């Protein structure tokens, strides 16, 4: 799996958009970008994933650069409950295989009231 | 709601005394995983079951074993827990018959070794 680089920590004001960057310059053509988050003392939670097009769901938006070497997760209106460690992971889609996720250090996002 | 359930949420065990953590799922996913997460670290994959096939990570200590008696349940056995095995243990599931590639995690069991 391609390696990712994320800032160690970030702050964001409540109600503002939180933009979390991720670099994955060695991503392969068949690898997707996944985002998970882990709220303190809970299991990781899936947020969103994408290949090359921008994606949006009820939780977040994912913006992937045209060269696919970096991406940004956007939480449009951050709340205190969004304080968590956010993991950016790149890997090939599972279908047919069962490899687990390899977690990096992630970004600790702190939402300030 | 379909989910991954881990029991207990907190487990205290004595040094060297065997302990078993359990995981159950109602998602009917064919793959189940166990991760270890030590304080302030990222989760680390220990092993997984692909259907009935057990797949161990190369650096998982022999002290850690797993059983999957049926699709819904998976157990993590620590034969002789040491102080260094204190951690959060996370169970996760996924399915391979559909290409979305997502993983569903349980809330974890926090193991304390005394």
């Amino acid at each position: 799996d391609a390696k990712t680089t994320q800032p160690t920590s970030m702050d964001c004001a409540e109600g503002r958009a939180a933009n979390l960057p991720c670099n994955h310059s060695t991503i392969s053509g068949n690898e997707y970008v996944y985002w998970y988050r882990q709220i303190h003392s809970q299991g990781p939670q899936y947020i969103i994933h994408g290949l090359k097009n921008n994606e949006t769901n009820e939780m977040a938006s994912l913006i992937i650069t045209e060269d696919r070497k970096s991406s940004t997760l956007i939480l449009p209106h951050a709340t205190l409950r969004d304080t968590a460690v956010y993991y950016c992971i790149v890997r090939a889609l599972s279908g047919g295989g069962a490899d687990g996720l390899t977690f990096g250090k992630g970004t600790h996002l702190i939402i300030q009231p | 709601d379909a989910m991954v359930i881990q029991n207990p949420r907190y487990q205290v065990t004595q040094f060297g005394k065997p302990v078993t953590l359990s995981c159950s799922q109602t998602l009917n996913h064919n793959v189940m995983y166990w991760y270890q997460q030590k304080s302030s670290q990222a989760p680390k994959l220990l092993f997984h079951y692909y259907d009935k096939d057990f797949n161990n990570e190369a650096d998982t200590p022999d002290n850690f074993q797993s059983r999957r008696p049926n699709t819904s349940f998976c157990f993590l056995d620590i034969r002789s827990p040491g102080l260094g095995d204190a951690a959060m243990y996370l169970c996760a599931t996924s399915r391979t018959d559909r290409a979305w590639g997502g993983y569903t995690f349980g809330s974890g069991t926090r193991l304390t070794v005394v």
Side-chain angles (χ1 to χ4, degrees), chain A residues 20-78:
Chain A
L20 291 86
C22 180
N23 287 321
H24 32 79
S25 59
T26 61
I27 192 170
S28 301
N30 67 338
E31 288 183 318
Y32 284 66
V33 180
Y34 289 84
W35 283 86
Y36 281 75
R37 74 179 181 183
Q38 187 174 23
I39 295 170
H40 183 62
S41 294
Q42 297 184 22
Q45 175 191 25
Y46 166 81
I47 302 173
I48 199 167
H49 74 287
L51 182 63
K52 54 183 178 181
N53 296 323
N54 298 337
E55 302 287 340
T56 295
N57 63 21
E58 65 278 5
M59 289 183 68
S61 295
L62 174 60
I63 308 298
I64 302 174
T65 58
E66 193 169 343
D67 64 7
R68 302 205 328 120
K69 293 185 177 182
S70 66
S71 60
T72 301
L73 177 74
I74 301 172
L75 307 178
H77 305 287

Coordinates of all heavy atoms in Angstrom, one line a residue, chain A residues 20-78:
Chain A
L20 N -8.6 18.8 5.9 CA -7.5 17.9 6.3 C -6.8 17.4 5.1 O -7.3 16.7 4.3 CB -8.1 16.7 7.2 CG -8.6 17.0 8.5 CD1 -10.1 17.4 8.5 CD2 -8.4 15.9 9.5
P21 N -5.5 17.8 5.0 CA -4.7 17.4 3.8 C -4.1 16.0 4.0 O -3.8 15.6 5.1 CB -3.7 18.5 3.7 CG -3.4 18.9 5.2 CD -4.8 18.7 5.9
C22 N -3.8 15.4 2.9 CA -3.1 14.1 2.9 C -2.2 14.0 1.6 O -2.7 14.3 0.5 CB -4.1 13.0 2.9 SG -3.3 11.3 2.9
N23 N -1.0 13.7 1.8 CA -0.1 13.5 0.6 C 0.1 12.0 0.4 O 0.4 11.3 1.3 CB 1.3 14.2 0.8 CG 1.2 15.7 0.7 OD1 0.4 16.2 -0.2 ND2 1.9 16.4 1.5
H24 N 0.0 11.6 -0.9 CA 0.2 10.2 -1.2 C 0.8 10.2 -2.6 O 0.2 9.7 -3.6 CB -1.2 9.4 -1.2 CG -2.4 10.2 -1.5 ND1 -2.8 10.5 -2.8 CD2 -3.3 10.7 -0.7 CE1 -3.9 11.2 -2.8 NE2 -4.3 11.4 -1.5
S25 N 2.0 10.7 -2.7 CA 2.7 10.9 -4.0 C 3.0 9.6 -4.7 O 3.3 9.6 -5.9 CB 3.9 11.7 -3.8 OG 4.8 11.1 -2.9
T26 N 3.0 8.4 -4.0 CA 3.4 7.1 -4.6 C 2.2 6.3 -4.9 O 2.3 5.1 -5.2 CB 4.4 6.4 -3.7 OG1 3.7 6.1 -2.5 CG2 5.7 7.1 -3.5
I27 N 1.0 6.9 -4.9 CA -0.2 6.1 -5.1 C -0.2 5.5 -6.5 O 0.3 6.1 -7.5 CB -1.5 7.0 -4.9 CG1 -2.7 6.2 -4.9 CG2 -1.5 8.1 -6.0 CD1 -3.9 7.1 -4.4
S28 N -0.7 4.2 -6.5 CA -0.8 3.5 -7.8 C -2.1 3.7 -8.5 O -3.1 4.2 -7.8 CB -0.6 2.0 -7.6 OG 0.7 1.8 -7.0
G29 N -2.2 3.4 -9.8 CA -3.4 3.6 -10.5 C -4.6 2.9 -10.0 O -5.8 3.4 -10.2
N30 N -4.5 1.8 -9.3 CA -5.6 1.0 -8.8 C -5.9 1.2 -7.4 O -6.7 0.5 -6.8 CB -5.4 -0.5 -9.1 CG -4.3 -1.0 -8.2 OD1 -3.4 -0.3 -7.8 ND2 -4.3 -2.3 -8.0
E31 N -5.2 2.2 -6.8 CA -5.4 2.4 -5.3 C -6.4 3.6 -5.1 O -6.3 4.6 -5.7 CB -4.1 2.8 -4.7 CG -3.2 1.5 -4.5 CD -1.9 1.8 -3.8 OE1 -1.3 2.9 -4.1 OE2 -1.5 1.0 -3.0
Y32 N -7.3 3.3 -4.1 CA -8.2 4.3 -3.7 C -7.7 5.1 -2.5 O -6.8 4.6 -1.8 CB -9.5 3.6 -3.3 CG -10.4 3.1 -4.5 CD1 -9.9 2.1 -5.3 CD2 -11.6 3.7 -4.7 CE1 -10.7 1.7 -6.4 CE2 -12.4 3.3 -5.8 CZ -11.9 2.3 -6.6 OH -12.7 1.9 -7.7
V33 N -8.3 6.2 -2.2 CA -8.0 7.0 -1.0 C -9.2 6.8 -0.1 O -10.3 7.1 -0.5 CB -7.8 8.5 -1.3 CG1 -7.5 9.3 0.0 CG2 -6.7 8.7 -2.4
Y34 N -8.9 6.3 1.1 CA -9.9 6.1 2.1 C -9.7 7.0 3.3 O -8.5 7.3 3.7 CB -9.9 4.7 2.7 CG -10.3 3.6 1.8 CD1 -9.5 3.0 0.8 CD2 -11.6 3.1 1.9 CE1 -9.9 2.0 0.0 CE2 -12.1 2.1 1.0 CZ -11.2 1.6 0.1 OH -11.6 0.6 -0.8
W35 N -10.7 7.5 3.9 CA -10.6 8.3 5.2 C -11.4 7.6 6.2 O -12.6 7.2 6.0 CB -11.1 9.7 5.0 CG -10.1 10.6 4.2 CD1 -10.0 10.7 2.9 CD2 -9.1 11.4 4.8 NE1 -9.0 11.6 2.6 CE2 -8.4 12.1 3.8 CE3 -8.8 11.8 6.2 CZ2 -7.4 13.0 4.0 CZ3 -7.8 12.7 6.4 CH2 -7.1 13.3 5.3
Y36 N -10.8 7.4 7.4 CA -11.5 6.9 8.6 C -11.2 7.9 9.7 O -10.2 8.6 9.7 CB -10.9 5.5 9.0 CG -11.5 4.4 8.2 CD1 -11.0 4.2 6.9 CD2 -12.4 3.5 8.7 CE1 -11.5 3.1 6.1 CE2 -12.9 2.5 8.0 CZ -12.5 2.3 6.7 OH -13.0 1.2 5.9
R37 N -12.0 7.9 10.7 CA -11.7 8.7 11.9 C -11.9 7.8 13.1 O -12.7 6.9 13.1 CB -12.5 9.9 11.9 CG -14.0 9.8 12.3 CD -14.7 11.1 12.4 NE -16.1 11.0 12.8 CZ -16.9 12.0 12.9 NH1 -16.5 13.2 12.5 NH2 -18.2 11.8 13.2
Q38 N -11.2 8.2 14.2 CA -11.3 7.5 15.4 C -11.5 8.5 16.6 O -10.6 9.2 16.9 CB -10.1 6.6 15.7 CG -10.3 5.7 16.9 CD -9.1 4.7 17.1 OE1 -8.0 5.0 16.6 NE2 -9.4 3.6 17.8
I39 N -12.7 8.5 17.1 CA -13.0 9.3 18.2 C -12.5 8.6 19.5 O -12.5 7.4 19.5 CB -14.6 9.5 18.4 CG1 -15.0 10.4 17.1 CG2 -15.0 10.2 19.6 CD1 -16.5 10.5 17.0
H40 N -12.1 9.4 20.4 CA -11.4 8.8 21.6 C -12.1 7.6 22.2 O -13.3 7.7 22.5 CB -11.2 9.9 22.7 CG -10.5 9.4 23.9 ND1 -9.2 9.0 23.8 CD2 -10.9 9.3 25.2 CE1 -8.8 8.7 25.0 NE2 -9.8 8.9 25.9
S41 N -11.4 6.5 22.4 CA -11.9 5.3 23.0 C -13.0 4.6 22.2 O -13.8 3.8 22.8 CB -12.4 5.6 24.4 OG -11.4 6.0 25.3
Q42 N -13.1 4.9 20.9 CA -14.0 4.1 20.1 C -13.2 3.5 18.9 O -12.0 3.8 18.7 CB -15.1 5.1 19.5 CG -16.0 5.7 20.5 CD -17.1 6.6 19.9 OE1 -17.4 6.4 18.8 NE2 -17.6 7.5 20.7
G43 N -13.9 2.6 18.2 CA -13.3 2.1 17.0 C -13.3 3.0 15.8 O -14.1 3.9 15.8
P44 N -12.4 2.8 14.9 CA -12.4 3.7 13.7 C -13.7 3.6 12.9 O -14.3 2.6 12.9 CB -11.2 3.1 12.8 CG -10.3 2.5 13.8 CD -11.2 1.9 14.9
Q45 N -14.0 4.7 12.3 CA -15.3 4.9 11.6 C -15.0 5.3 10.2 O -14.3 6.2 9.9 CB -16.2 5.9 12.3 CG -17.5 6.3 11.6 CD -18.1 7.5 12.2 OE1 -17.5 8.3 12.8 NE2 -19.4 7.6 12.1
Y46 N -15.6 4.6 9.2 CA -15.5 4.9 7.8 C -16.1 6.3 7.6 O -17.2 6.6 8.1 CB -16.1 3.9 7.0 CG -16.3 4.3 5.5 CD1 -15.3 4.2 4.6 CD2 -17.5 4.7 5.1 CE1 -15.5 4.5 3.3 CE2 -17.7 5.1 3.7 CZ -16.7 5.0 2.9 OH -16.9 5.3 1.5
I47 N -15.4 7.1 6.8 CA -16.0 8.4 6.4 C -16.3 8.4 4.9 O -17.4 8.6 4.5 CB -15.0 9.6 6.7 CG1 -14.6 9.6 8.2 CG2 -15.6 10.9 6.3 CD1 -13.5 10.6 8.5
I48 N -15.3 8.2 4.1 CA -15.5 8.4 2.6 C -14.3 7.7 1.9 O -13.3 7.5 2.5 CB -15.6 9.9 2.3 CG1 -16.3 10.1 0.9 CG2 -14.2 10.6 2.4 CD1 -16.7 11.6 0.7
H49 N -14.5 7.4 0.6 CA -13.4 7.0 -0.2 C -13.6 7.4 -1.6 O -14.7 7.7 -2.0 CB -13.1 5.5 -0.1 CG -14.1 4.6 -0.8 ND1 -15.4 4.4 -0.4 CD2 -14.0 3.9 -2.0 CE1 -16.0 3.6 -1.3 NE2 -15.2 3.3 -2.2
G50 N -12.5 7.4 -2.4 CA -12.6 7.9 -3.8 C -11.4 7.4 -4.6 O -10.3 7.1 -4.0
L51 N -11.5 7.4 -5.9 CA -10.4 7.0 -6.8 C -9.8 8.2 -7.4 O -8.6 8.5 -7.3 CB -11.0 6.0 -7.8 CG -9.9 5.5 -8.8 CD1 -8.9 4.7 -8.1 CD2 -10.6 4.7 -9.9
K52 N -10.6 9.0 -8.2 CA -10.0 10.2 -8.8 C -11.0 11.3 -8.9 O -10.6 12.5 -8.9 CB -9.5 9.8 -10.2 CG -10.5 9.2 -11.2 CD -9.8 8.8 -12.5 CE -10.8 8.1 -13.4 NZ -10.1 7.8 -14.7
N53 N -12.3 11.0 -8.9 CA -13.3 12.0 -8.9 C -13.5 12.5 -7.4 O -13.4 11.8 -6.5 CB -14.6 11.5 -9.5 CG -14.4 11.2 -10.9 OD1 -13.7 11.8 -11.7 ND2 -15.1 10.1 -11.3
N54 N -14.0 13.7 -7.3 CA -14.3 14.2 -6.0 C -15.6 13.5 -5.5 O -16.5 13.2 -6.4 CB -14.6 15.7 -6.0 CG -13.3 16.5 -6.4 OD1 -12.2 16.0 -6.2 ND2 -13.5 17.7 -7.0
E55 N -15.7 13.3 -4.2 CA -16.8 12.5 -3.7 C -17.4 13.3 -2.5 O -16.7 14.0 -1.8 CB -16.3 11.2 -3.2 CG -15.7 10.3 -4.2 CD -16.7 9.7 -5.2 OE1 -17.9 9.7 -4.9 OE2 -16.2 9.3 -6.3
T56 N -18.7 13.2 -2.4 CA -19.4 13.8 -1.2 C -20.4 12.8 -0.7 O -21.1 12.1 -1.4 CB -20.1 15.1 -1.7 OG1 -19.1 16.0 -2.1 CG2 -20.9 15.7 -0.6
N57 N -20.5 12.8 0.6 CA -21.6 12.1 1.3 C -22.1 12.9 2.5 O -21.7 14.1 2.6 CB -21.2 10.7 1.7 CG -20.0 10.7 2.7 OD1 -19.8 11.6 3.4 ND2 -19.3 9.6 2.8
E58 N -22.9 12.3 3.3 CA -23.5 13.1 4.4 C -22.6 13.5 5.4 O -22.8 14.4 6.2 CB -24.7 12.3 5.0 CG -24.2 11.0 5.7 CD -24.0 9.8 4.8 OE1 -24.1 10.0 3.6 OE2 -23.7 8.7 5.3
M59 N -21.4 12.9 5.5 CA -20.4 13.3 6.5 C -19.4 14.3 6.0 O -18.9 15.1 6.8 CB -19.6 12.0 6.9 CG -20.5 11.1 7.8 SD -19.5 9.7 8.3 CE -18.4 10.4 9.5
A60 N -18.9 14.1 4.7 CA -17.8 14.9 4.3 C -17.7 14.9 2.8 O -18.4 14.3 2.1 CB -16.5 14.3 4.9
S61 N -16.7 15.7 2.3 CA -16.3 15.8 0.9 C -14.9 15.4 0.8 O -14.1 15.7 1.7 CB -16.6 17.1 0.3 OG -17.9 17.5 0.3
L62 N -14.6 14.7 -0.3 CA -13.2 14.3 -0.6 C -12.8 15.0 -1.9 O -13.4 14.7 -2.9 CB -13.1 12.8 -0.7 CG -11.7 12.2 -1.1 CD1 -10.6 12.7 -0.1 CD2 -11.8 10.7 -1.1
I63 N -11.7 15.7 -1.9 CA -11.2 16.4 -3.1 C -9.8 15.7 -3.4 O -8.9 15.8 -2.5 CB -11.0 17.9 -2.9 CG1 -12.3 18.5 -2.3 CG2 -10.5 18.6 -4.2 CD1 -13.5 18.4 -3.2
I64 N -9.7 15.2 -4.6 CA -8.5 14.5 -5.0 C -7.9 15.3 -6.1 O -8.6 15.6 -7.1 CB -8.8 13.0 -5.4 CG1 -9.4 12.3 -4.3 CG2 -7.5 12.4 -5.9 CD1 -9.9 10.9 -4.7
T65 N -6.6 15.6 -6.0 CA -6.0 16.4 -7.1 C -5.9 15.6 -8.4 O -6.0 14.4 -8.4 CB -4.6 16.8 -6.7 OG1 -3.8 15.6 -6.4 CG2 -4.6 17.7 -5.5
E66 N -5.8 16.3 -9.5 CA -5.8 15.7 -10.8 C -4.7 14.6 -10.9 O -4.9 13.6 -11.5 CB -5.7 16.7 -11.9 CG -6.0 16.2 -13.3 CD -6.2 17.3 -14.3 OE1 -6.3 18.5 -13.9 OE2 -6.1 17.0 -15.5
D67 N -3.5 14.9 -10.4 CA -2.5 13.9 -10.5 C -2.6 12.8 -9.4 O -1.7 11.9 -9.3 CB -1.1 14.6 -10.4 CG -0.9 15.3 -9.1 OD1 -1.7 15.2 -8.1 OD2 0.2 16.0 -8.9
R68 N -3.5 12.9 -8.5 CA -3.9 12.0 -7.5 C -2.8 11.9 -6.4 O -2.8 10.9 -5.6 CB -4.1 10.6 -8.0 CG -5.3 10.6 -9.0 CD -6.0 9.3 -9.2 NE -5.2 8.1 -9.0 CZ -5.5 7.1 -8.1 NH1 -6.5 7.3 -7.2 NH2 -4.7 6.1 -8.0
K69 N -1.9 12.8 -6.4 CA -0.8 12.7 -5.4 C -1.2 13.3 -4.0 O -0.4 13.2 -3.1 CB 0.5 13.4 -6.0 CG 1.0 12.7 -7.2 CD 2.3 13.3 -7.6 CE 2.9 12.4 -8.8 NZ 4.2 13.0 -9.2
S70 N -2.3 13.9 -4.0 CA -2.7 14.5 -2.7 C -4.2 14.6 -2.7 O -4.9 14.5 -3.7 CB -2.1 15.8 -2.4 OG -2.5 16.8 -3.3
S71 N -4.8 14.7 -1.5 CA -6.2 14.8 -1.3 C -6.5 15.7 -0.1 O -5.7 15.9 0.8 CB -6.9 13.5 -1.3 OG -6.5 12.7 -0.1
T72 N -7.8 16.1 0.0 CA -8.2 16.9 1.1 C -9.6 16.4 1.6 O -10.5 16.3 0.7 CB -8.3 18.4 0.8 OG1 -7.0 18.9 0.4 CG2 -8.8 19.2 2.0
L73 N -9.7 16.1 2.8 CA -11.0 15.8 3.4 C -11.6 17.1 4.0 O -10.9 17.8 4.7 CB -10.9 14.7 4.5 CG -12.1 14.4 5.3 CD1 -13.0 13.5 4.4 CD2 -11.9 13.7 6.6
I74 N -12.9 17.3 3.6 CA -13.5 18.5 4.1 C -14.7 18.2 4.9 O -15.6 17.5 4.5 CB -14.0 19.4 2.9 CG1 -12.7 19.8 2.1 CG2 -14.7 20.7 3.4 CD1 -13.1 20.5 0.8
L75 N -14.7 18.6 6.2 CA -15.9 18.6 7.0 C -16.5 19.9 7.0 O -16.0 20.9 7.5 CB -15.5 18.2 8.5 CG -14.7 17.0 8.7 CD1 -14.3 16.8 10.1 CD2 -15.3 15.7 8.1
P76 N -17.7 20.1 6.3 CA -18.2 21.4 6.0 C -18.5 22.3 7.2 O -18.3 23.5 7.1 CB -19.4 21.1 5.1 CG -19.8 19.7 5.4 CD -18.5 19.0 5.8
H77 N -19.1 21.8 8.2 CA -19.5 22.6 9.4 C -19.1 21.8 10.6 O -19.9 21.0 11.2 CB -21.0 22.9 9.4 CG -21.5 23.5 8.1 ND1 -21.2 24.8 7.8 CD2 -22.2 23.0 7.1 CE1 -21.8 25.1 6.7 NE2 -22.3 24.1 6.2
A78 N -17.8 22.0 11.0 CA -17.3 21.1 12.1 C -18.0 21.4 13.4 O -18.4 22.5 13.8 CB -15.8 21.4 12.3

